[in-house]
Amino acid sequence: MPISSSSEPIRRRPSAWRRVSQAVVVLLAIAIAALAVLAWLGYRDDSSTGPREAVGDPAQQVAYGAYLAKVGDCMACHTAPGSKPYAGGAAIPTPFGTFYGPNITADAATGIGNWTADDFWRALHQGKGPSGTLLYPAFPYTEYTRITRADADALYAYLRSIPPVTQPSRPHELDFPYGWRPLLALWRGLYFKPGVHADARAAVPAFAAADAVVPDRPALIARGRYLVDGLGHCVACHAPRNALGATAQEAGLPGGDIAGLGWYAPALDGAARTGLGGWSEDDIVMLLKTGTGRHGAAAGPMAEVVVGSTQYLSDVDAQAIAAYLKTIPAPSTGDAPVVRAAGGMRRGAALYEQHCAQCHGAEGQGRGRDWPPLAGNIGVVAPYPGNAIQMVLAGGFAPATAANPQPHGMPPFGQVLSDDDVAAVVTYIRNSWGNAAGGVTSLQVKQARAVGG
């Protein structure tokens, strides 16, 4: 006797395992599609080749290219210590391994002697080699993409004028899996979009001339932004990076750790305590051109930038950079949060009086530009105390510039003071005379010693 008279088959509900499998397949398909889109975005070519402008005076173009090479501090990455200019080999340490600047002289075999002007433009504007090879963003094409075609051609003309040097570029030494270049396509898809600076007033070569006339205020600010955001690539140091090494352009210049070097690049925004809120345009120009100023002196990586780059800025370009930086507002959240010192102030005060006060003053006021002030010094009160720690440990000189050829130096105290001593004195200077930047631990000092060698 049949249990049911219905002729329709019994429908079974899909098992839980089958539903999970279907969901996994769908998610996998979405992930593959997303990766494909990112790869396409990373490999895509910008349709514009940047039409070349007619060159009236080739010698003038080469001279302007030489100036631009200094503005961009190209030699810092493309010239190893003791090597010939632009022959490559300079080490660039990063959390992903060590990059080495390539040979960019006109040597056909080992440099860029076989590159055309279009090839050079493609490298700056799109981050690609002549054959379409994706370049690592240790070469800051993420900022250089803003350079105009005329400026790229001037740089190219200058590099072609340098005597060729036969020296193979040193291979990068990268941790796994960062040495696999196809992964760059995904990174580029997420973080890179080509785009020349939109303001035509920003790239007038006459601004570099010693006798250039100061343009109107909007043009001056536009020029400053062009130099800061493009060839100067200031965001490379003065903004934080995420876990994949990318910076957010829209974040401004709030300051950031300089990975692998133990230094902190201070904020260049309008923050009153940790940024340029208390600086005038003349203060900024003085630091760029001389390496010293009313609020402190350039040290560490910034000292190298002053020596190799900013001291050579024309007066108008230095003024333009200062004018633009003063337009950057303070963050909406205000200054970096203050973490009060947890202790060590009495010990730090005694050490400061014994070792520091003679030069920097009892109130941290400094003396002229030979001994910079510590009170209100944005390098001292930065969120990360690495700058002050490194200076106490290793000492150093302000950059030697044409305007300040024999700067005074600070002796190293790393062999005199223990880690606890350094932590105490740096805690004291970060929390005295109106400074309020939190305490420093002996572990931080120990880590700074390791980074500094």
Side-chain angles (χ1 to χ4, degrees):
M1 181 176 181
I3 297 175
S4 172
S5 61
S6 173
S7 61
E8 295 183 4
I10 298 175
R11 297 181 179 179
R12 298 179 179 177
R13 298 176 63 184
S15 66
W17 170 250
R18 184 178 179 185
R19 292 196 301 272
V20 170
S21 299
Q22 289 173 341
V24 168
V25 170
V26 170
L27 291 175
L28 185 60
I30 293 173
I32 292 173
L35 291 175
V37 170
L38 286 178
W40 176 80
L41 290 172
Y43 277 111
R44 75 192 186 284
D45 279 326
D46 183 35
S47 58
S48 170
T49 60
R52 302 186 66 184
E53 297 181 12
V55 177
D57 185 347
Q60 187 178 30
Q61 183 191 42
V62 169
Y64 184 55
Y67 172 76
L68 293 175
K70 284 187 169 67
V71 173
D73 202 12
C74 303
M75 191 173 286
C77 291
H78 293 283
T79 306
S83 182
K84 293 183 178 180
Y86 301 104
I92 307 168
T94 76
F96 313 104
T98 302
F99 293 89
Y100 294 94
N103 183 343
I104 56 172
T105 69
D107 183 67
T110 62
I112 62 171
N114 288 329
W115 287 34
T116 66
D118 285 344
D119 292 334
F120 189 76
W121 164 255
R122 191 183 194 197
L124 266 62
H125 183 59
Q126 298 190 49
K128 293 182 179 181
S131 62
T133 303
L134 302 183
L135 304 180
Y136 284 101
F139 171 62
Y141 58 82
T142 46
E143 287 73 56
Y144 289 172
T145 187
R146 293 168 176 77
I147 297 172
T148 64
R149 180 59 194 258
D151 281 5
D153 287 346
L155 272 169
Y156 173 76
Y158 166 64
L159 293 174
R160 297 282 291 185
S161 74
I162 297 172
V165 179
T166 301
Q167 178 173 294
S169 296
R170 184 172 175 176
H172 304 314
E173 298 172 356
L174 304 180
D175 301 330
F176 179 83
Y178 307 114
W180 193 46
R181 282 186 187 264
L183 289 177
L184 282 174
L186 304 181
W187 188 94
R188 289 162 58 97
L190 287 169
Y191 303 117
F192 175 61
K193 182 180 180 181
V196 175
H197 195 286
D199 197 326
R201 298 170 298 178
V204 181
F207 285 10
D211 58 349
V213 176
V214 178
D216 62 72
R217 191 72 180 175
L220 188 71
I221 292 173
R223 174 68 173 178
R225 182 176 183 180
Y226 173 73
L227 295 172
V228 167
D229 290 354
L231 200 56
H233 58 287
C234 302
V235 72
C237 291
H238 291 275
R241 295 180 180 270
N242 64 20
L244 295 179
T247 55
Q249 291 288 341
E250 63 276 7
L253 297 168
D257 293 321
I258 304 177
L261 298 181
W263 290 84
Y264 186 89
L268 300 182
D269 56 28
R273 181 171 55 84
T274 57
L276 301 179
W279 292 48
S280 69
E281 291 183 17
D282 288 343
D283 291 334
I284 297 172
V285 169
M286 181 179 291
L287 186 76
L288 293 175
K289 297 280 283 184
T290 72
T292 62
R294 292 196 306 122
H295 301 281
M302 187 61 199
E304 297 175 13
V305 171
V306 171
V307 169
S309 177
T310 63
Q311 69 163 316
Y312 300 105
L313 288 166
S314 70
D315 291 341
V316 175
D317 276 350
Q319 188 177 348
I321 289 174
Y324 168 62
L325 291 178
K326 289 299 292 182
T327 69
I328 302 177
S332 58
T333 54
D335 270 305
V338 174
V339 180
R340 296 291 176 184
M345 291 291 286
R346 181 177 299 177
R347 180 180 182 183
L351 289 166
Y352 180 85
E353 183 178 1
Q354 179 182 357
H355 297 289
C356 316
Q358 183 177 359
C359 293
H360 293 285
E363 300 299 319
Q365 74 275 18
R367 284 194 293 162
R369 68 182 189 182
D370 292 334
W371 292 280
L374 302 177
N377 187 313
I378 62 175
V380 169
V381 300
Y384 173 66
N387 298 4
I389 294 173
Q390 292 289 0
M391 287 302 298
V392 171
L393 290 175
F397 287 83
T401 60
N404 188 27
Q406 294 181 314
H408 282 255
M410 174 175 167
F413 290 91
Q415 301 301 317
V416 177
L417 303 179
S418 68
D419 290 352
D420 289 341
D421 289 338
V422 174
V425 73
V426 175
T427 294
Y428 176 75
I429 67 173
R430 281 168 57 84
N431 294 276
S432 300
W433 325 299
N435 293 346
V440 177
T441 67
S442 57
L443 176 59
Q444 288 176 308
V445 178
K446 182 177 181 180
Q447 291 170 336
R449 285 188 193 270
V451 171

